[in-house]
């Protein structure tokens, strides 16, 4: 299920779609979104291997981004692992 979501950054508000995925072992933000909007990142404490269940490929994540989200009236600050997610902006997983 995709949820209309807003990311609030120092430069403004970004409208995105978040995939609610109870099978994901964390929350992820698309590398493209981070790069396009110059979102600040920090190194992860350890490198994480990310496996794509659809094509069984994997990649390594080394960065995280902390952002303020708005989903309807709900406002939360979430730390996301930065990863290549194709056309998906955010994945809200089970963490």
């Amino acid at each position: 299920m995709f949820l209309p979501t807003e990311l609030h950054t120092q430069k403004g508000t970004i409208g995105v779609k978040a995939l609610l995925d109870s099978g994901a072992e964390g929350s992820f933000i698309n590398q493209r979104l981070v790069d396009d909007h110059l979102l600040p990142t920090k190194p992860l404490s350890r490198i994480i291997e990310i496996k794509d269940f659809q094509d069984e490929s994997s990649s390594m994540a080394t960065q995280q981004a902390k952002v303020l989200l708005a989903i309807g009236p709900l406002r939360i600050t979430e730390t996301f692992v930065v990863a290549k997610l194709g056309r998906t902006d955010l994945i809200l997983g089970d963490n």
Side-chain angles (χ1 to χ4, degrees):
M1 171 191 325
F2 282 92
L3 302 171
T5 305
E6 293 178 340
L7 295 181
H8 294 272
T9 71
Q10 293 177 343
K11 296 184 180 187
T13 301
I14 306 163
V16 298
K17 289 184 181 175
L19 174 63
L20 186 59
D21 185 350
S22 61
E25 294 180 4
S27 293
F28 303 90
I29 187 168
N30 197 317
Q31 178 75 54
R32 172 192 43 77
L33 192 63
V34 170
D35 293 343
D36 288 353
H37 297 282
L38 304 174
L39 300 178
T41 62
K42 288 184 178 179
L44 289 166
S45 59
R46 62 182 176 80
I47 296 173
I48 298 173
E49 182 179 13
I50 299 173
K51 293 185 180 183
D52 183 336
F53 73 94
Q54 291 177 335
D55 64 10
E56 300 181 8
S57 65
S58 66
S59 62
M60 300 303 210
T62 62
Q63 298 290 310
Q64 61 185 335
K66 189 174 186 177
V67 296
L68 175 62
L69 292 179
I71 303 170
L74 178 66
R75 305 280 189 268
I76 57 171
T77 300
E78 180 73 31
T79 300
F80 292 90
V81 173
V82 179
K84 293 178 182 176
L85 303 177
R87 292 182 298 205
T88 302
D89 296 322
L90 300 173
I91 296 175
L92 299 174
D94 186 23
N95 56 340

